[in-house]
Amino acid sequence: MTNAWPNGRAFDFIGGTPGSALISQLTDQLKALGEQLETALAAAHDLAALEELRVRFLGRSGQVTAVRRGIGNLPAGERPEAGKTINEAVSALERSLAEREAELQGRALAAQLDVAIDVTFPAPPARSGSLHPLRRATEDACAYFERRGFAVVLGDEIETEYYNFDALNIPPDHPAREGLDSFYFPNGLLLRTHTSPMQIRTMQAHPPPIAIVVPGKSYRRDSMDARHSPMFHQIEGLMVAAGIHMGHLKGMLTGMCRAVFGPAQAVRFRPSFFPFTEPSAEVDTTCPGCAGSGALGDGANCKTCSGAGWIEIGGAGMVHPDVLRESGYDPDAVSGWAFGVGIERIAMVRQEVDDIRVLFENDPRVLEQLA
Ligand code: PHE
C-alpha cells in the first residue's frame, strides 16, 4: 500500500518498519524547523520581528501546523507517537521564542535606562518676566508723588456724562465734547475719555486740602496708528489747598520729569485751553533723546522731538472756579492745580519706541528687550 504526503513524497508501508521510518523523518523535519527558528531568532532584533516568527512557525497556517497535518496520513497506530513528538517540538520552539523575547525586553529596558535623566546635567536658564514699560512708567511717576504725600486713587473706566463732561465745565453743546467723543453705552454711560472725572469724584468725597494722583486707562474714538490708540493711559494729578498757585504745579511736574527721565529735565508751559482749568497749559519737558538741543551728534534732527528739543507730555492748569464750586469747594478760600499726562508718551520716549502699538502687542521678544 502506498500513501502520499501532501508534498508528493511517497512512503511504502509494506514490509520493514515504515512507522518508525516515518517518525524519524518527522523528527528530522521538526529538528530542521528548530534550527531554522534559532537562526531567525538570532536575526530578530525587536518584538515585532519575534511576533512574525511566532506566526511563521507556530501560527495556524505556520510550518509546524503543516507538519502536524501530515499525521492524518499515518497509520492509526503511529499517530499518538507522532503527536507526542510534534508537541514536544512545539514546546521547544515556544521556549526558544520566549527566551529570545525576554532577552530583547531586557535589552530594551537597558537602553531606556541608558538615556535616563542625568541629574548633573546643567538646567536651561530660567526665563524671568519683567514689568511692562507702561507699568514701570506709571509706578515711577506715581512713586514720585507718593513720596510727597499724594494719595494714589483709582477710578472706574465707565463713567457718567456728568463726571466725564458736565461737572468739568463741558456742557452738552460744548465743542470740546467733539474732540473727546467716546464709546457710549445705551444708558448714558461712556468709557471715560480722560482721568479728570476723578477730580470731581475725589473733591465731592473729601474736603480740602487734597493731593492725589490717578493712574488709569482712558478711551477715545481714535483709530489705531503709530501715535494713536483708542485705549491709552494717563496720570491725573490734583492738588487743592489755600494759596496753591501755578509755580507749585510747575515745580511738581519738573520733579516728576526728573524722576522718570533724568536729573537734567526742565518743564515748560505753552498756553492752551481746557474747559476745566484756567489758565491752561500744554506741558512740555526737555527731549531726553537730544538733551533739549533738537539735534543729534551728527547734526541731524533729533527723531524723538523732530528737532524741537521738547516733547509734549500732557495738559495742565489751575482748577477752574466753576469746577471747584461744582465739587463743593469755595474758590475764594482754596485754589488748586491739575494735570493729566500720557503714560504711553513717557514710556515711548524712555524706551525709544516710536510706535505705540509695540506697547500693546506684547510680543515677549520685544518686551524682553525693553525690560
Ligand atoms: N484731561 C485732559 C486731557 O485728557 C488733561 C488735563 C488734565 C488738562 C488736568 C488739564 C488739567 O487731555
Side-chain angles (χ1 to χ4, degrees), residues 168 170 180 193-197 199 218 220 232 234-238 249 273-277 279-283 314-319 337-341:
L168 287 164
I170 315 175
L180 296 175
T193 62
H194 48 183
T195 41
S196 301
Q199 292 186 29
S218 299
R220 285 182 202 173
F232 58 100
Q234 290 186 312
I235 297 182
E236 191 84 8
L238 174 70
L249 170 62
F273 172 79
F274 297 102
F276 38 93
T277 47
S280 301
E282 300 290 342
V283 182
M318 297 304 293
V319 181
W337 54 248
F339 68 79
V341 301

PDB file of all heavy atoms in Angstrom, residues 168 170 180 193-197 199 218 220 232 234-238 249 273-277 279-283 314-319 337-341, ligand 1:
ATOM      1  N   LEU A 168     -17.072 118.990  34.630  1.00  0.00           N
ATOM      2  CA  LEU A 168     -15.769 119.552  34.250  1.00  0.00           C
ATOM      3  C   LEU A 168     -15.952 120.743  33.320  1.00  0.00           C
ATOM      4  O   LEU A 168     -15.052 121.076  32.537  1.00  0.00           O
ATOM      5  CB  LEU A 168     -14.906 118.468  33.581  1.00  0.00           C
ATOM      6  CG  LEU A 168     -14.359 117.402  34.550  1.00  0.00           C
ATOM      7  CD1 LEU A 168     -13.875 116.177  33.773  1.00  0.00           C
ATOM      8  CD2 LEU A 168     -13.226 117.972  35.399  1.00  0.00           C
ATOM      9  N   ILE A 170     -17.879 121.105  30.788  1.00  0.00           N
ATOM     10  CA  ILE A 170     -18.077 120.794  29.374  1.00  0.00           C
ATOM     11  C   ILE A 170     -19.563 120.456  29.186  1.00  0.00           C
ATOM     12  O   ILE A 170     -19.947 119.287  29.245  1.00  0.00           O
ATOM     13  CB  ILE A 170     -17.209 119.602  28.905  1.00  0.00           C
ATOM     14  CG1 ILE A 170     -15.768 119.729  29.423  1.00  0.00           C
ATOM     15  CG2 ILE A 170     -17.220 119.482  27.377  1.00  0.00           C
ATOM     16  CD1 ILE A 170     -14.871 118.538  29.106  1.00  0.00           C
ATOM     17  N   LEU A 180     -13.423 114.858  22.263  1.00  0.00           N
ATOM     18  CA  LEU A 180     -13.334 113.789  23.261  1.00  0.00           C
ATOM     19  C   LEU A 180     -14.400 112.728  23.027  1.00  0.00           C
ATOM     20  O   LEU A 180     -14.728 111.967  23.917  1.00  0.00           O
ATOM     21  CB  LEU A 180     -13.513 114.373  24.667  1.00  0.00           C
ATOM     22  CG  LEU A 180     -12.430 115.353  25.122  1.00  0.00           C
ATOM     23  CD1 LEU A 180     -12.798 115.953  26.474  1.00  0.00           C
ATOM     24  CD2 LEU A 180     -11.087 114.637  25.219  1.00  0.00           C
ATOM     25  N   THR A 193     -13.116 109.486  28.835  1.00  0.00           N
ATOM     26  CA  THR A 193     -12.199 109.972  27.801  1.00  0.00           C
ATOM     27  C   THR A 193     -10.923 110.511  28.414  1.00  0.00           C
ATOM     28  O   THR A 193      -9.975 110.840  27.697  1.00  0.00           O
ATOM     29  CB  THR A 193     -12.859 111.083  26.973  1.00  0.00           C
ATOM     30  OG1 THR A 193     -13.160 112.185  27.845  1.00  0.00           O
ATOM     31  CG2 THR A 193     -14.146 110.594  26.337  1.00  0.00           C
ATOM     32  N   HIS A 194     -10.911 110.648  29.728  1.00  0.00           N
ATOM     33  CA  HIS A 194      -9.720 111.102  30.447  1.00  0.00           C
ATOM     34  C   HIS A 194      -9.880 110.707  31.918  1.00  0.00           C
ATOM     35  O   HIS A 194     -10.940 110.200  32.319  1.00  0.00           O
ATOM     36  CB  HIS A 194      -9.495 112.617  30.299  1.00  0.00           C
ATOM     37  CG  HIS A 194     -10.717 113.464  30.542  1.00  0.00           C
ATOM     38  ND1 HIS A 194     -10.737 114.828  30.398  1.00  0.00           N
ATOM     39  CD2 HIS A 194     -11.984 113.137  30.939  1.00  0.00           C
ATOM     40  CE1 HIS A 194     -11.930 115.302  30.677  1.00  0.00           C
ATOM     41  NE2 HIS A 194     -12.703 114.311  31.007  1.00  0.00           N
ATOM     42  N   THR A 195      -8.842 110.911  32.701  1.00  0.00           N
ATOM     43  CA  THR A 195      -8.938 110.562  34.122  1.00  0.00           C
ATOM     44  C   THR A 195      -9.470 111.727  34.946  1.00  0.00           C
ATOM     45  O   THR A 195      -9.650 111.601  36.164  1.00  0.00           O
ATOM     46  CB  THR A 195      -7.562 110.107  34.655  1.00  0.00           C
ATOM     47  OG1 THR A 195      -6.541 110.960  34.099  1.00  0.00           O
ATOM     48  CG2 THR A 195      -7.266 108.670  34.268  1.00  0.00           C
ATOM     49  N   SER A 196      -9.772 112.851  34.289  1.00  0.00           N
ATOM     50  CA  SER A 196     -10.225 114.040  35.026  1.00  0.00           C
ATOM     51  C   SER A 196     -11.528 113.852  35.816  1.00  0.00           C
ATOM     52  O   SER A 196     -11.720 114.568  36.817  1.00  0.00           O
ATOM     53  CB  SER A 196     -10.363 115.222  34.067  1.00  0.00           C
ATOM     54  OG  SER A 196      -9.119 115.491  33.451  1.00  0.00           O
ATOM     55  N   PRO A 197     -12.456 112.947  35.430  1.00  0.00           N
ATOM     56  CA  PRO A 197     -13.650 112.766  36.269  1.00  0.00           C
ATOM     57  C   PRO A 197     -13.307 112.492  37.728  1.00  0.00           C
ATOM     58  O   PRO A 197     -14.082 112.851  38.635  1.00  0.00           O
ATOM     59  CB  PRO A 197     -14.360 111.559  35.648  1.00  0.00           C
ATOM     60  CG  PRO A 197     -13.880 111.474  34.242  1.00  0.00           C
ATOM     61  CD  PRO A 197     -12.528 112.115  34.215  1.00  0.00           C
ATOM     62  N   GLN A 199     -11.154 113.952  39.458  1.00  0.00           N
ATOM     63  CA  GLN A 199     -11.016 115.230  40.201  1.00  0.00           C
ATOM     64  C   GLN A 199     -12.309 115.512  40.944  1.00  0.00           C
ATOM     65  O   GLN A 199     -12.308 115.766  42.154  1.00  0.00           O
ATOM     66  CB  GLN A 199     -10.765 116.389  39.230  1.00  0.00           C
ATOM     67  CG  GLN A 199      -9.424 116.389  38.515  1.00  0.00           C
ATOM     68  CD  GLN A 199      -9.258 117.669  37.703  1.00  0.00           C
ATOM     69  OE1 GLN A 199      -9.802 118.721  38.042  1.00  0.00           O
ATOM     70  NE2 GLN A 199      -8.501 117.591  36.623  1.00  0.00           N
ATOM     71  N   SER A 218      -7.824 105.410  29.721  1.00  0.00           N
ATOM     72  CA  SER A 218      -8.787 106.330  29.129  1.00  0.00           C
ATOM     73  C   SER A 218      -9.061 105.858  27.712  1.00  0.00           C
ATOM     74  O   SER A 218      -8.265 105.119  27.129  1.00  0.00           O
ATOM     75  CB  SER A 218      -8.221 107.750  29.106  1.00  0.00           C
ATOM     76  OG  SER A 218      -7.954 108.183  30.421  1.00  0.00           O
ATOM     77  N   ARG A 220     -10.693 106.910  23.732  1.00  0.00           N
ATOM     78  CA  ARG A 220     -11.196 107.878  22.763  1.00  0.00           C
ATOM     79  C   ARG A 220     -11.431 107.179  21.443  1.00  0.00           C
ATOM     80  O   ARG A 220     -10.763 106.189  21.130  1.00  0.00           O
ATOM     81  CB  ARG A 220     -10.212 109.038  22.573  1.00  0.00           C
ATOM     82  CG  ARG A 220     -10.262 109.967  23.770  1.00  0.00           C
ATOM     83  CD  ARG A 220      -9.368 111.154  23.674  1.00  0.00           C
ATOM     84  NE  ARG A 220      -9.126 111.645  25.033  1.00  0.00           N
ATOM     85  CZ  ARG A 220      -8.281 112.603  25.358  1.00  0.00           C
ATOM     86  NH1 ARG A 220      -7.573 113.193  24.416  1.00  0.00           N
ATOM     87  NH2 ARG A 220      -8.144 112.960  26.614  1.00  0.00           N
ATOM     88  N   PHE A 232      -5.717 104.211  26.075  1.00  0.00           N
ATOM     89  CA  PHE A 232      -4.376 104.649  26.477  1.00  0.00           C
ATOM     90  C   PHE A 232      -4.401 104.929  27.970  1.00  0.00           C
ATOM     91  O   PHE A 232      -5.433 104.763  28.624  1.00  0.00           O
ATOM     92  CB  PHE A 232      -3.957 105.888  25.664  1.00  0.00           C
ATOM     93  CG  PHE A 232      -4.904 107.050  25.796  1.00  0.00           C
ATOM     94  CD1 PHE A 232      -4.627 108.110  26.653  1.00  0.00           C
ATOM     95  CD2 PHE A 232      -6.090 107.077  25.080  1.00  0.00           C
ATOM     96  CE1 PHE A 232      -5.502 109.174  26.792  1.00  0.00           C
ATOM     97  CE2 PHE A 232      -6.978 108.142  25.217  1.00  0.00           C
ATOM     98  CZ  PHE A 232      -6.681 109.186  26.074  1.00  0.00           C
ATOM     99  N   GLN A 234      -3.329 107.418  31.379  1.00  0.00           N
ATOM    100  CA  GLN A 234      -2.995 108.761  31.850  1.00  0.00           C
ATOM    101  C   GLN A 234      -2.687 108.711  33.336  1.00  0.00           C
ATOM    102  O   GLN A 234      -3.093 107.780  34.030  1.00  0.00           O
ATOM    103  CB  GLN A 234      -4.201 109.701  31.673  1.00  0.00           C
ATOM    104  CG  GLN A 234      -4.547 110.047  30.232  1.00  0.00           C
ATOM    105  CD  GLN A 234      -5.655 111.079  30.160  1.00  0.00           C
ATOM    106  OE1 GLN A 234      -6.670 110.938  30.832  1.00  0.00           O
ATOM    107  NE2 GLN A 234      -5.471 112.109  29.354  1.00  0.00           N
ATOM    108  N   ILE A 235      -2.009 109.742  33.786  1.00  0.00           N
ATOM    109  CA  ILE A 235      -1.967 110.003  35.227  1.00  0.00           C
ATOM    110  C   ILE A 235      -2.520 111.400  35.440  1.00  0.00           C
ATOM    111  O   ILE A 235      -2.028 112.363  34.848  1.00  0.00           O
ATOM    112  CB  ILE A 235      -0.549 109.947  35.817  1.00  0.00           C
ATOM    113  CG1 ILE A 235       0.036 108.547  35.661  1.00  0.00           C
ATOM    114  CG2 ILE A 235      -0.585 110.305  37.308  1.00  0.00           C
ATOM    115  CD1 ILE A 235       1.416 108.425  36.277  1.00  0.00           C
ATOM    116  N   GLU A 236      -3.542 111.461  36.235  1.00  0.00           N
ATOM    117  CA  GLU A 236      -4.137 112.733  36.603  1.00  0.00           C
ATOM    118  C   GLU A 236      -3.497 113.168  37.909  1.00  0.00           C
ATOM    119  O   GLU A 236      -3.214 112.341  38.778  1.00  0.00           O
ATOM    120  CB  GLU A 236      -5.650 112.527  36.830  1.00  0.00           C
ATOM    121  CG  GLU A 236      -6.450 113.795  36.955  1.00  0.00           C
ATOM    122  CD  GLU A 236      -6.834 114.346  35.583  1.00  0.00           C
ATOM    123  OE1 GLU A 236      -6.608 113.649  34.567  1.00  0.00           O
ATOM    124  OE2 GLU A 236      -7.353 115.474  35.529  1.00  0.00           O
ATOM    125  N   GLY A 237      -3.249 114.457  38.038  1.00  0.00           N
ATOM    126  CA  GLY A 237      -2.766 114.981  39.319  1.00  0.00           C
ATOM    127  C   GLY A 237      -3.698 116.095  39.767  1.00  0.00           C
ATOM    128  O   GLY A 237      -4.216 116.844  38.919  1.00  0.00           O
ATOM    129  N   LEU A 238      -3.940 116.201  41.047  1.00  0.00           N
ATOM    130  CA  LEU A 238      -4.808 117.268  41.557  1.00  0.00           C
ATOM    131  C   LEU A 238      -4.342 117.664  42.948  1.00  0.00           C
ATOM    132  O   LEU A 238      -4.143 116.808  43.812  1.00  0.00           O
ATOM    133  CB  LEU A 238      -6.264 116.792  41.626  1.00  0.00           C
ATOM    134  CG  LEU A 238      -7.266 117.777  42.284  1.00  0.00           C
ATOM    135  CD1 LEU A 238      -7.495 118.994  41.404  1.00  0.00           C
ATOM    136  CD2 LEU A 238      -8.586 117.061  42.592  1.00  0.00           C
ATOM    137  N   LEU A 249       2.597 123.850  40.626  1.00  0.00           N
ATOM    138  CA  LEU A 249       2.341 122.892  39.530  1.00  0.00           C
ATOM    139  C   LEU A 249       3.621 122.640  38.735  1.00  0.00           C
ATOM    140  O   LEU A 249       4.022 121.501  38.486  1.00  0.00           O
ATOM    141  CB  LEU A 249       1.240 123.452  38.621  1.00  0.00           C
ATOM    142  CG  LEU A 249       0.980 122.725  37.307  1.00  0.00           C
ATOM    143  CD1 LEU A 249       0.529 121.292  37.560  1.00  0.00           C
ATOM    144  CD2 LEU A 249      -0.074 123.472  36.482  1.00  0.00           C
ATOM    145  N   PHE A 273      -5.916 125.568  26.168  1.00  0.00           N
ATOM    146  CA  PHE A 273      -7.267 125.703  26.698  1.00  0.00           C
ATOM    147  C   PHE A 273      -7.846 124.359  27.108  1.00  0.00           C
ATOM    148  O   PHE A 273      -7.790 123.376  26.355  1.00  0.00           O
ATOM    149  CB  PHE A 273      -8.210 126.325  25.655  1.00  0.00           C
ATOM    150  CG  PHE A 273      -9.641 126.311  26.099  1.00  0.00           C
ATOM    151  CD1 PHE A 273     -10.113 127.264  27.020  1.00  0.00           C
ATOM    152  CD2 PHE A 273     -10.521 125.324  25.663  1.00  0.00           C
ATOM    153  CE1 PHE A 273     -11.423 127.219  27.460  1.00  0.00           C
ATOM    154  CE2 PHE A 273     -11.834 125.282  26.112  1.00  0.00           C
ATOM    155  CZ  PHE A 273     -12.289 126.227  27.006  1.00  0.00           C
ATOM    156  N   PHE A 274      -8.334 124.306  28.319  1.00  0.00           N
ATOM    157  CA  PHE A 274      -9.189 123.205  28.759  1.00  0.00           C
ATOM    158  C   PHE A 274     -10.357 123.846  29.492  1.00  0.00           C
ATOM    159  O   PHE A 274     -10.151 124.816  30.250  1.00  0.00           O
ATOM    160  CB  PHE A 274      -8.443 122.258  29.715  1.00  0.00           C
ATOM    161  CG  PHE A 274      -7.263 121.571  29.072  1.00  0.00           C
ATOM    162  CD1 PHE A 274      -5.970 122.020  29.321  1.00  0.00           C
ATOM    163  CD2 PHE A 274      -7.445 120.486  28.228  1.00  0.00           C
ATOM    164  CE1 PHE A 274      -4.878 121.400  28.730  1.00  0.00           C
ATOM    165  CE2 PHE A 274      -6.354 119.859  27.636  1.00  0.00           C
ATOM    166  CZ  PHE A 274      -5.070 120.314  27.882  1.00  0.00           C
ATOM    167  N   PRO A 275     -11.584 123.353  29.301  1.00  0.00           N
ATOM    168  CA  PRO A 275     -12.739 123.976  29.943  1.00  0.00           C
ATOM    169  C   PRO A 275     -12.666 123.931  31.472  1.00  0.00           C
ATOM    170  O   PRO A 275     -13.285 124.748  32.146  1.00  0.00           O
ATOM    171  CB  PRO A 275     -13.925 123.142  29.438  1.00  0.00           C
ATOM    172  CG  PRO A 275     -13.440 122.467  28.190  1.00  0.00           C
ATOM    173  CD  PRO A 275     -11.973 122.246  28.414  1.00  0.00           C
ATOM    174  N   PHE A 276     -11.888 122.991  32.003  1.00  0.00           N
ATOM    175  CA  PHE A 276     -11.878 122.788  33.461  1.00  0.00           C
ATOM    176  C   PHE A 276     -10.669 123.377  34.149  1.00  0.00           C
ATOM    177  O   PHE A 276     -10.484 123.179  35.358  1.00  0.00           O
ATOM    178  CB  PHE A 276     -12.030 121.297  33.795  1.00  0.00           C
ATOM    179  CG  PHE A 276     -11.274 120.391  32.840  1.00  0.00           C
ATOM    180  CD1 PHE A 276      -9.982 119.975  33.136  1.00  0.00           C
ATOM    181  CD2 PHE A 276     -11.858 119.975  31.651  1.00  0.00           C
ATOM    182  CE1 PHE A 276      -9.298 119.142  32.264  1.00  0.00           C
ATOM    183  CE2 PHE A 276     -11.166 119.144  30.756  1.00  0.00           C
ATOM    184  CZ  PHE A 276      -9.889 118.728  31.062  1.00  0.00           C
ATOM    185  N   THR A 277      -9.800 124.078  33.411  1.00  0.00           N
ATOM    186  CA  THR A 277      -8.678 124.786  34.052  1.00  0.00           C
ATOM    187  C   THR A 277      -8.579 126.200  33.479  1.00  0.00           C
ATOM    188  O   THR A 277      -8.920 126.447  32.332  1.00  0.00           O
ATOM    189  CB  THR A 277      -7.330 124.054  33.817  1.00  0.00           C
ATOM    190  OG1 THR A 277      -7.223 123.710  32.438  1.00  0.00           O
ATOM    191  CG2 THR A 277      -7.222 122.805  34.665  1.00  0.00           C
ATOM    192  N   PRO A 279      -5.698 129.544  34.298  1.00  0.00           N
ATOM    193  CA  PRO A 279      -5.246 129.329  32.923  1.00  0.00           C
ATOM    194  C   PRO A 279      -4.891 127.861  32.660  1.00  0.00           C
ATOM    195  O   PRO A 279      -4.695 127.091  33.586  1.00  0.00           O
ATOM    196  CB  PRO A 279      -4.011 130.226  32.838  1.00  0.00           C
ATOM    197  CG  PRO A 279      -3.502 130.305  34.235  1.00  0.00           C
ATOM    198  CD  PRO A 279      -4.703 130.237  35.128  1.00  0.00           C
ATOM    199  N   SER A 280      -4.769 127.548  31.377  1.00  0.00           N
ATOM    200  CA  SER A 280      -4.443 126.169  30.970  1.00  0.00           C
ATOM    201  C   SER A 280      -3.119 126.154  30.204  1.00  0.00           C
ATOM    202  O   SER A 280      -2.723 127.177  29.627  1.00  0.00           O
ATOM    203  CB  SER A 280      -5.528 125.600  30.057  1.00  0.00           C
ATOM    204  OG  SER A 280      -6.783 125.600  30.705  1.00  0.00           O
ATOM    205  N   ALA A 281      -2.467 125.015  30.211  1.00  0.00           N
ATOM    206  CA  ALA A 281      -1.178 124.905  29.537  1.00  0.00           C
ATOM    207  C   ALA A 281      -0.976 123.518  28.959  1.00  0.00           C
ATOM    208  O   ALA A 281      -1.497 122.523  29.489  1.00  0.00           O
ATOM    209  CB  ALA A 281      -0.048 125.204  30.527  1.00  0.00           C
ATOM    210  N   GLU A 282      -0.237 123.459  27.864  1.00  0.00           N
ATOM    211  CA  GLU A 282       0.322 122.187  27.410  1.00  0.00           C
ATOM    212  C   GLU A 282       1.658 122.051  28.119  1.00  0.00           C
ATOM    213  O   GLU A 282       2.404 123.025  28.261  1.00  0.00           O
ATOM    214  CB  GLU A 282       0.563 122.186  25.900  1.00  0.00           C
ATOM    215  CG  GLU A 282      -0.669 122.411  25.044  1.00  0.00           C
ATOM    216  CD  GLU A 282      -1.656 121.249  25.039  1.00  0.00           C
ATOM    217  OE1 GLU A 282      -1.260 120.133  25.423  1.00  0.00           O
ATOM    218  OE2 GLU A 282      -2.818 121.478  24.685  1.00  0.00           O
ATOM    219  N   VAL A 283       1.958 120.853  28.567  1.00  0.00           N
ATOM    220  CA  VAL A 283       3.189 120.642  29.332  1.00  0.00           C
ATOM    221  C   VAL A 283       4.239 119.977  28.444  1.00  0.00           C
ATOM    222  O   VAL A 283       3.995 118.912  27.891  1.00  0.00           O
ATOM    223  CB  VAL A 283       2.924 119.752  30.561  1.00  0.00           C
ATOM    224  CG1 VAL A 283       4.197 119.590  31.367  1.00  0.00           C
ATOM    225  CG2 VAL A 283       1.797 120.329  31.400  1.00  0.00           C
ATOM    226  N   GLY A 314       1.561 116.292  28.234  1.00  0.00           N
ATOM    227  CA  GLY A 314       0.181 116.359  28.713  1.00  0.00           C
ATOM    228  C   GLY A 314      -0.338 117.773  28.826  1.00  0.00           C
ATOM    229  O   GLY A 314       0.245 118.718  28.266  1.00  0.00           O
ATOM    230  N   GLY A 315      -1.466 117.893  29.515  1.00  0.00           N
ATOM    231  CA  GLY A 315      -2.084 119.197  29.736  1.00  0.00           C
ATOM    232  C   GLY A 315      -2.192 119.479  31.222  1.00  0.00           C
ATOM    233  O   GLY A 315      -2.142 118.560  32.041  1.00  0.00           O
ATOM    234  N   ALA A 316      -2.329 120.764  31.554  1.00  0.00           N
ATOM    235  CA  ALA A 316      -2.399 121.126  32.975  1.00  0.00           C
ATOM    236  C   ALA A 316      -3.013 122.513  33.117  1.00  0.00           C
ATOM    237  O   ALA A 316      -3.310 123.182  32.117  1.00  0.00           O
ATOM    238  CB  ALA A 316      -1.004 121.099  33.600  1.00  0.00           C
ATOM    239  N   GLY A 317      -3.197 122.930  34.335  1.00  0.00           N
ATOM    240  CA  GLY A 317      -3.713 124.278  34.564  1.00  0.00           C
ATOM    241  C   GLY A 317      -4.202 124.430  35.991  1.00  0.00           C
ATOM    242  O   GLY A 317      -4.106 123.503  36.807  1.00  0.00           O
ATOM    243  N   MET A 318      -4.721 125.635  36.265  1.00  0.00           N
ATOM    244  CA  MET A 318      -5.312 125.896  37.581  1.00  0.00           C
ATOM    245  C   MET A 318      -6.788 125.511  37.531  1.00  0.00           C
ATOM    246  O   MET A 318      -7.496 125.884  36.584  1.00  0.00           O
ATOM    247  CB  MET A 318      -5.171 127.378  37.943  1.00  0.00           C
ATOM    248  CG  MET A 318      -3.724 127.838  38.075  1.00  0.00           C
ATOM    249  SD  MET A 318      -2.760 126.860  39.286  1.00  0.00           S
ATOM    250  CE  MET A 318      -3.570 127.329  40.828  1.00  0.00           C
ATOM    251  N   VAL A 319      -7.225 124.744  38.519  1.00  0.00           N
ATOM    252  CA  VAL A 319      -8.601 124.238  38.525  1.00  0.00           C
ATOM    253  C   VAL A 319      -9.577 125.414  38.404  1.00  0.00           C
ATOM    254  O   VAL A 319      -9.497 126.401  39.148  1.00  0.00           O
ATOM    255  CB  VAL A 319      -8.884 123.442  39.817  1.00  0.00           C
ATOM    256  CG1 VAL A 319     -10.319 122.900  39.791  1.00  0.00           C
ATOM    257  CG2 VAL A 319      -7.880 122.301  39.966  1.00  0.00           C
ATOM    258  N   TRP A 337      -4.239 123.125  41.429  1.00  0.00           N
ATOM    259  CA  TRP A 337      -3.777 122.810  40.080  1.00  0.00           C
ATOM    260  C   TRP A 337      -4.154 121.374  39.726  1.00  0.00           C
ATOM    261  O   TRP A 337      -4.421 120.555  40.610  1.00  0.00           O
ATOM    262  CB  TRP A 337      -2.282 123.037  39.896  1.00  0.00           C
ATOM    263  CG  TRP A 337      -1.335 122.360  40.867  1.00  0.00           C
ATOM    264  CD1 TRP A 337      -0.562 122.977  41.803  1.00  0.00           C
ATOM    265  CD2 TRP A 337      -1.013 120.946  40.951  1.00  0.00           C
ATOM    266  NE1 TRP A 337       0.192 122.049  42.485  1.00  0.00           N
ATOM    267  CE2 TRP A 337      -0.059 120.803  41.973  1.00  0.00           C
ATOM    268  CE3 TRP A 337      -1.444 119.821  40.277  1.00  0.00           C
ATOM    269  CZ2 TRP A 337       0.467 119.554  42.338  1.00  0.00           C
ATOM    270  CZ3 TRP A 337      -0.921 118.572  40.630  1.00  0.00           C
ATOM    271  CH2 TRP A 337       0.031 118.464  41.649  1.00  0.00           C
ATOM    272  N   ALA A 338      -4.179 121.124  38.436  1.00  0.00           N
ATOM    273  CA  ALA A 338      -4.449 119.765  37.963  1.00  0.00           C
ATOM    274  C   ALA A 338      -3.609 119.517  36.714  1.00  0.00           C
ATOM    275  O   ALA A 338      -3.253 120.455  36.001  1.00  0.00           O
ATOM    276  CB  ALA A 338      -5.926 119.589  37.631  1.00  0.00           C
ATOM    277  N   PHE A 339      -3.265 118.280  36.507  1.00  0.00           N
ATOM    278  CA  PHE A 339      -2.586 117.936  35.246  1.00  0.00           C
ATOM    279  C   PHE A 339      -3.039 116.551  34.797  1.00  0.00           C
ATOM    280  O   PHE A 339      -3.565 115.759  35.598  1.00  0.00           O
ATOM    281  CB  PHE A 339      -1.055 117.970  35.377  1.00  0.00           C
ATOM    282  CG  PHE A 339      -0.487 116.872  36.258  1.00  0.00           C
ATOM    283  CD1 PHE A 339      -0.330 115.571  35.770  1.00  0.00           C
ATOM    284  CD2 PHE A 339      -0.078 117.147  37.558  1.00  0.00           C
ATOM    285  CE1 PHE A 339       0.190 114.564  36.579  1.00  0.00           C
ATOM    286  CE2 PHE A 339       0.444 116.138  38.370  1.00  0.00           C
ATOM    287  CZ  PHE A 339       0.576 114.854  37.887  1.00  0.00           C
ATOM    288  N   GLY A 340      -2.849 116.286  33.535  1.00  0.00           N
ATOM    289  CA  GLY A 340      -3.064 114.944  33.003  1.00  0.00           C
ATOM    290  C   GLY A 340      -1.931 114.634  32.045  1.00  0.00           C
ATOM    291  O   GLY A 340      -1.760 115.345  31.053  1.00  0.00           O
ATOM    292  N   VAL A 341      -1.117 113.631  32.366  1.00  0.00           N
ATOM    293  CA  VAL A 341      -0.009 113.298  31.460  1.00  0.00           C
ATOM    294  C   VAL A 341      -0.234 111.917  30.854  1.00  0.00           C
ATOM    295  O   VAL A 341      -0.871 111.041  31.455  1.00  0.00           O
ATOM    296  CB  VAL A 341       1.377 113.358  32.164  1.00  0.00           C
ATOM    297  CG1 VAL A 341       1.635 114.743  32.730  1.00  0.00           C
ATOM    298  CG2 VAL A 341       1.510 112.287  33.213  1.00  0.00           C
TER     299      VAL A 341
HETATM  300  N1  PHE B   1      -7.925 115.809  30.840  1.00  0.00           N
HETATM  301  C1  PHE B   1      -7.057 116.449  29.900  1.00  0.00           C
HETATM  302  C2  PHE B   1      -6.859 115.557  28.697  1.00  0.00           C
HETATM  303  O1  PHE B   1      -7.141 114.403  28.774  1.00  0.00           O
HETATM  304  C3  PHE B   1      -5.710 116.786  30.504  1.00  0.00           C
HETATM  305  C4  PHE B   1      -5.804 117.756  31.648  1.00  0.00           C
HETATM  306  C5  PHE B   1      -5.925 117.268  32.935  1.00  0.00           C
HETATM  307  C6  PHE B   1      -5.719 119.082  31.431  1.00  0.00           C
HETATM  308  C7  PHE B   1      -5.996 118.137  34.000  1.00  0.00           C
HETATM  309  C8  PHE B   1      -5.780 119.967  32.482  1.00  0.00           C
HETATM  310  C9  PHE B   1      -5.907 119.503  33.752  1.00  0.00           C
HETATM  311  O2  PHE B   1      -6.389 115.988  27.682  1.00  0.00           O
END
